[in-house]
Amino acid sequence: MPGWGEVAVGLVVLVGLFGVVVQVLPGALLVAGAVVVWGVVTGGFVGWTVAVVAVLVTGVAMVAKYLLAGRHLKRAGVPGSTLLWGGVAGAVLFFVIPVVGLPVGFVGAVYLAEWVRVREPRPAWRATVAAMQATGLTILVELAGAMLVTLAWLLGLATS
């Protein structure tokens, strides 16, 4: 791959890592996609190995984040319908109040849905905190996967 192509892949990887943290872009998929393109274009043992590692690590991270978050929410007793309300409100408010609308809508709707469900403010707040912790957990797992893919790419760059 020419030098400008590797710079372009690096920029997409940086945007993807930013997207994992900010949760506005499909960050892990951007990172994996850029690294897979690099691997296919580079070819050879190193290129294809890095591409396969990128796909596998991203897949494992995607599955792990949902399993860990689901287990955390189940232990806290937060039903899926509450998360659905939070997701819908977050998506709507994302367009009403750019960038900050997503977390504001999610947290507000989760609290309101739980307050309506349990009719107590303290348990509703505990469920909201559990939902925020689960969201943070998914971000950390996805970021770890994207960082491992980035590391594999950097090692591939160094050895190709």
Side-chain angles (χ1 to χ4, degrees), residues 39-137:
V40 169
V41 171
T42 300
F45 178 76
V46 172
W48 285 104
T49 301
V50 170
V52 168
V53 166
V55 169
L56 291 176
V57 168
T58 302
V60 167
M62 293 288 185
V63 171
K65 76 178 187 176
Y66 289 115
L67 291 176
L68 292 171
R71 186 178 339 160
H72 182 75
L73 291 169
K74 188 174 182 178
R75 266 191 250 138
V78 180
S81 60
T82 296
L83 296 178
L84 179 66
W85 284 112
V88 168
V92 168
L93 280 181
F94 174 76
F95 294 105
V96 175
I97 310 169
V99 182
V100 297
L102 181 65
V104 168
F106 178 77
V107 171
V110 166
Y111 179 76
L112 186 61
E114 281 299 291
W115 192 29
V116 166
R117 186 176 74 87
V118 298
R119 305 204 190 280
E120 295 274 336
R122 286 182 194 255
W125 182 247
R126 281 194 294 271
T128 305
V129 169
M132 289 187 296
Q133 289 170 339
T135 301
L137 185 61

Side-chain angles (χ1 to χ4, degrees), residues 1-16 30-31 33-35 37-38 153 157:
M1 176 174 273
W4 64 267
E6 291 175 346
V7 169
V9 169
L11 289 174
V12 173
V13 166
L14 283 174
V15 168
L30 280 174
V31 172
V35 171
V37 166
W38 176 86
W153 175 64
L157 269 177

